[in-house]
Amino acid sequence: MKETLPYLLPFALNAARYFLMAGIPFLIFYILFPKVFSKNKIQDRFARQKDFLREICHSMQTTLIIAGVGLLILKTPLKEYTRFYDDLSDYASWWIPVSVVLALVIHDTYFYWMHRAVHHPKLFRRVHLLHHKSVNPSPWASYSFHFFEGVLEAMIAPILLFFLPMHPLSLVLFTFLAFGINVYGHLGYEIAPRWFRHSFLFKILNTSIHHNMHHEKFKGNYGLYFRAWDRLMGTEHPDYVKKYDEIQARRFGNSKSSPLWRRAFLLMVVLAGIGVFTANAQTGIEGKWKDHKNGGTILIYEEDGLYFGQVVAADNAVEHEKIQAHGKVMVLKNFKKENETKFCCGTIFSPRRKKTLSGELILEDENTLKINGSYGVFKGSQIWVKL
């Protein structure tokens, strides 16, 4: 079971993200407060329960495909050919948000042309019709794709990772933003604030009405995040702005936004933030640690459910040059996570003594790691501090 856990975890996390980020808006708009948000409803009618069940079932299939493609790239030798990097120091800190924005732009371009392709008469019925069964979409429709379209949707992962340098943090932020915007597009309700219509953002970004019209009309409005490709290629529905203004006028009239609406929107933002934080939470052991006794910096990382540590720098200039010339100097190997603070059953290599010890790692607090090692009757320990 422990051997299969690293392969089951990506699916479980993606499924949890789907049910949280699609389920919470569904609960708010469709179950708890449909009358409160009646003016926000884009189409007058409601989808049926069998539609929701169909959307959830096919979304689970897509979730499995996305998790499988991710594992194929990051857990096989293919990873060596990607530009995925673990060490934050490899790129400047500003690259994290920049890479996320670039990923969204690349994804939007890929999605637009892929989306137009599956609307071709020879592909539509075989590949894309299933998604369009959600004529009046709900948040559950966000991942409701035919198997082949699910594969096409998942192909954005290799496109990004093989061409764009991305840190795990960038990847997590991108996936949550992408899915959050996807849920908004399928929400069935328009929740954009009143000021949005007269800001420059309206000319750039899509809205829930924009994608909802695509489901209702079956043609036009092919973009995912931005209006750019639709406007450039003349595929934006001619009645989009008119429809948007009609719904916003119905929502606001001459009065200000409802305080209840603001509280509901704030709740969604907070919950989404919690979801991002939870998904990005690490074990506490990964990252760079300082071995003050020997003057070295060790990078600890996880691979296939096991934890490893390598020396990446040294205080002494001569030792540092040796490390850079030698490449990877592995000092921790094959540690298993026993609980949140204890990692056991691994080996510790001492470069100075040229000996390998059995050992365990104890996370005394978030910034202090105790290294216990034994070699025959010899036992000792060191304290490393997180950088």
Side-chain angles (χ1 to χ4, degrees):
M1 182 61 183
K2 289 185 178 180
E3 288 75 14
T4 60
L5 184 60
Y7 299 95
L8 295 175
L9 192 60
F11 172 74
L13 290 175
N14 276 281
R17 181 190 64 182
Y18 170 78
F19 281 108
L20 280 173
M21 295 186 69
I24 291 171
F26 183 81
L27 182 66
I28 292 172
F29 290 93
Y30 288 78
I31 305 298
L32 298 178
F33 309 112
K35 292 183 179 179
V36 173
F37 294 104
S38 60
K39 291 182 178 180
N40 300 67
K41 192 77 170 66
I42 299 171
Q43 297 184 40
D44 293 332
R45 62 188 184 276
F46 279 85
R48 296 165 293 180
Q49 186 174 1
K50 70 175 186 179
D51 295 314
F52 302 147
L53 293 175
R54 183 194 69 251
E55 291 166 352
I56 292 171
C57 287
H58 286 284
S59 290
M60 287 299 95
Q61 175 183 259
T62 304
T63 297
L64 186 61
I65 294 169
I66 291 172
V69 171
L71 286 170
L72 184 65
I73 297 171
L74 298 178
K75 296 294 184 179
T76 70
L78 285 174
K79 184 179 179 181
E80 298 298 321
Y81 299 95
T82 71
R83 304 194 69 184
F84 190 73
Y85 67 98
D86 296 306
D87 192 344
L88 278 170
S89 63
D90 286 352
Y91 289 84
S93 58
W94 54 261
W95 177 248
I96 296 291
V98 170
S99 64
V100 172
V101 173
L102 288 175
L104 292 172
V105 172
I106 293 169
H107 189 198
D108 186 74
T109 300
Y110 170 78
F111 181 87
Y112 176 86
W113 291 104
M114 180 273 291
H115 195 183
R116 286 197 66 178
V118 296
H119 268 267
H120 189 280
K122 291 184 178 180
L123 293 176
F124 184 80
R125 287 189 175 277
R126 295 182 178 89
V127 179
H128 195 48
L129 177 60
L130 175 66
H131 187 64
H132 271 279
K133 286 185 177 180
S134 302
V135 177
N136 188 16
S138 78
W140 299 124
S142 304
Y143 270 179
S144 181
F145 302 118
H146 184 278
F147 176 84
F148 292 122
E149 187 171 6
V151 173
L152 290 173
E153 294 284 345
M155 288 306 294
I156 188 59
I159 290 172
L160 291 177
L161 292 175
F162 281 102
F163 296 101
L164 186 68
M166 295 197 78
H167 185 269
L169 178 58
S170 301
L171 195 58
V172 168
L173 289 173
F174 165 72
T175 55
F176 271 84
L177 276 171
F179 188 66
I181 296 169
N182 195 3
V183 169
Y184 166 57
H186 293 90
L187 185 60
Y189 290 78
E190 185 52 72
I191 59 173
R194 190 177 191 178
W195 56 262
F196 181 78
R197 173 64 178 87
H198 300 288
S199 72
F200 74 97
L201 294 173
F202 180 74
K203 297 180 180 180
I204 300 171
L205 303 178
N206 281 343
T207 63
S208 192
I209 295 171
H210 192 278
H211 192 68
N212 191 282
M213 288 185 73
H214 174 77
H215 277 261
E216 184 181 13
K217 309 295 184 183
F218 277 55
K219 293 181 69 176
N221 295 7
Y222 297 104
L224 181 60
Y225 309 124
F226 310 112
R227 293 174 62 186
W229 281 110
D230 276 307
R231 298 179 75 182
L232 182 65
M233 303 306 297
T235 54
E236 186 170 83
H237 196 283
D239 292 334
Y240 164 58
V241 175
K242 178 183 177 183
K243 176 82 169 179
Y244 183 90
D245 287 342
E246 287 175 356
I247 291 177
Q248 294 297 71
R250 185 177 72 203
R251 288 176 64 197
F252 300 120
N254 295 319
S255 61
K256 295 182 178 179
S257 305
S258 162
L260 179 59
W261 142 246
R262 289 200 296 268
R263 290 196 296 270
F265 181 73
L266 181 61
L267 176 62
M268 290 178 63
V269 172
V270 170
L271 289 171
I274 291 172
V276 172
F277 176 80
T278 302
N280 194 45
Q282 296 181 337
T283 60
I285 196 176
E286 295 176 73
K288 289 185 177 180
W289 297 84
K290 184 72 173 180
D291 174 8
H292 286 290
K293 182 176 180 180
N294 296 313
T297 299
I298 295 90
L299 173 66
I300 298 179
Y301 58 93
E302 179 268 338
E303 191 172 291
D304 295 330
L306 298 175
Y307 293 84
F308 301 82
Q310 69 179 77
V311 180
V312 293
D315 293 344
N316 183 282
V318 176
E319 294 291 333
H320 185 74
E321 288 182 7
K322 288 182 180 179
I323 292 170
Q324 298 302 310
H326 187 277
K328 284 188 176 181
V329 180
M330 303 298 296
V331 291
L332 304 176
K333 288 185 178 180
N334 301 318
F335 280 87
K336 298 179 182 178
K337 183 178 180 181
E338 189 170 305
N339 54 50
E340 292 299 322
T341 59
K342 185 177 181 181
F343 301 76
C344 72
C345 316
T347 60
I348 305 170
F349 174 68
S350 173
R352 294 190 178 187
R353 297 182 181 180
K354 306 297 182 184
K355 290 183 179 181
T356 300
L357 299 76
S358 59
E360 64 177 8
L361 312 177
I362 306 295
L363 192 62
E364 296 193 329
D365 59 52
E366 61 180 9
N367 295 311
T368 308
L369 184 65
K370 187 177 182 181
I371 318 297
N372 295 326
S374 61
Y375 182 79
V377 296
F378 168 78
K379 292 184 178 181
S381 64
Q382 292 183 10
I383 297 294
W384 293 355
V385 178
K386 195 156 194 178
L387 295 178

